[in-house]
Amino acid sequence: MQFQQLQYFVAVAETRHFTRAAELVHVAQPSLSQQIRALERELGADLFLRARGNITLTDAGEALLPLARRILADADTARHEVQELVQLRSGRIRLGATPSLCTGLLPDVLRAFHDRYPGIRLLIEEGGSHDLVRELARGALDLALIVLPLPTPSPALTTVELLREDLVVVSSPDAPRPGGGRRTVRIADLEGERLVMFRHGYDLRELTVAACRAEGFEPVFAVEGGEMDAVLGFVRAGLGVAVVPRMVATRSGRGLRVTPLARPGLYRTIALAHRSDVAPPRAARELQRMLLER
């Protein structure tokens, strides 16, 4: 049984005329009649009573008609759904990002994407780069914004560098200025400062601790274990200072003093990652393009 045969059958059933049915489906009348007879042979039953000038459905035809209409309607729905996806009018994107990028980089880009493609659902998962790489590998994410370099590079991932972002020191305006009041702070100036530190597994924790150790000292933690919002809140409360991305400090600067790091400073490399063996969905590729062109 062919899909085209069902189209021809429904056309004849609705017009009760072979010639008009052929015109309706844009096919020559002999071809339509041939396909209807082929369908009848396959089903083992006549579908029409062909009296002169009077075409009626047999019992078999009556039974097939609602089923054929349903099959054609389902096919039309399937075609429409696929076209919607192709034309970016519906669908979803599963995007992973570190919490700091959800705070700093993503809001403006996602707003622009949503304005352009309001039918696309955006599913965001926050996590550290290690966790996001694992979720990408098991197919739970389409794209992820991660911090490079990864401790163990994965050949199963394709990564594209997106940006290099400076890190800055944030402190409470009511607390003494770090670094003795200078306009910039060296990493060495953080020796003896009480730091508000992120949880284990957080990229910024590892970067900050490694920079302090490279200067020959172990950082002192006033509070540790928080996510980005908690760390900024503790700094505002005067519990200590923190090293955070410039974009986050700019967005969340209310109630915070922002001090740049002296050259060479600290920065992190943000990359967009996806699985190498599977092309991201159409909507995810469009978001990828907007991120790369931002």
Side-chain angles (χ1 to χ4, degrees), residues 12 42 96 103 126 139 158 174 190 208 225-226 246 277:
V12 175
E42 182 172 353
T103 302
E126 290 187 75
T158 296
D174 299 326
L190 298 180
T208 303
R246 183 181 293 277
D277 59 337

Side-chain angles (χ1 to χ4, degrees), residues 23-214:
E23 292 171 352
L24 187 66
V25 296
H26 308 291
V27 67
Q29 189 270 326
S31 296
L32 180 139
S33 297
Q34 184 180 9
Q35 289 300 317
I36 293 294
R37 291 197 179 280
L39 179 60
E40 290 175 323
R41 284 196 301 272
E42 182 172 353
L43 295 174
D46 290 336
L47 299 173
F48 297 102
L49 294 173
R50 297 166 173 82
R52 192 176 192 87
N54 185 26
I55 304 296
T56 59
L57 287 165
T58 63
D59 289 344
E62 292 284 2
L64 178 61
L65 183 58
L67 298 174
R69 282 174 171 157
R70 189 184 314 159
I71 292 169
L72 294 176
D74 286 346
D76 188 62
T77 298
R79 186 182 303 109
H80 179 72
E81 290 289 334
V82 171
Q83 288 174 347
E84 289 283 285
L85 285 170
V86 170
Q87 296 173 26
L88 295 170
R89 287 182 288 185
S90 67
R92 70 173 186 184
I93 300 174
R94 301 169 301 168
L95 175 66
T98 64
S100 60
L101 290 172
C102 287
T103 302
L105 171 66
L106 280 181
D108 290 340
V109 176
L110 293 187
R111 181 183 61 193
F113 183 88
H114 180 70
D115 288 346
R116 188 176 300 179
Y117 306 111
I120 303 293
R121 288 186 301 134
L122 297 167
L123 306 178
I124 308 300
E125 179 171 332
E126 290 187 75
S129 294
H130 301 174
D131 296 334
L132 296 177
V133 166
R134 185 168 59 249
E135 292 299 286
L136 276 173
R138 73 180 188 88
L141 295 174
D142 300 312
L143 295 172
L145 287 164
I146 61 174
V147 178
L148 296 179
L150 295 170
T152 52
S154 172
L157 291 184
T158 296
T159 58
V160 180
E161 185 174 319
L162 200 59
L163 61 95
R164 288 191 174 193
E165 182 180 15
D166 292 337
L167 302 183
V168 297
V169 177
V170 291
S171 57
S172 169
D174 299 326
R177 188 180 290 272
R182 290 191 296 273
R183 298 183 64 180
T184 60
V185 179
R186 299 169 301 165
I187 293 297
D189 295 331
L190 298 180
E191 185 174 7
E193 289 280 357
R194 293 172 62 80
L195 298 182
V196 178
M197 185 50 66
F198 300 96
R199 62 171 172 80
H200 284 282
Y202 216 87
D203 303 295
L204 288 169
R205 178 191 181 105
E206 297 169 8
L207 188 58
T208 303
V209 170
C212 292
R213 288 173 178 167

Side-chain angles (χ1 to χ4, degrees), residues 262-274:
R263 292 183 179 180
L266 284 179
Y267 65 88
R268 62 177 186 168
T269 302
I270 308 302
L272 196 56
H274 64 82

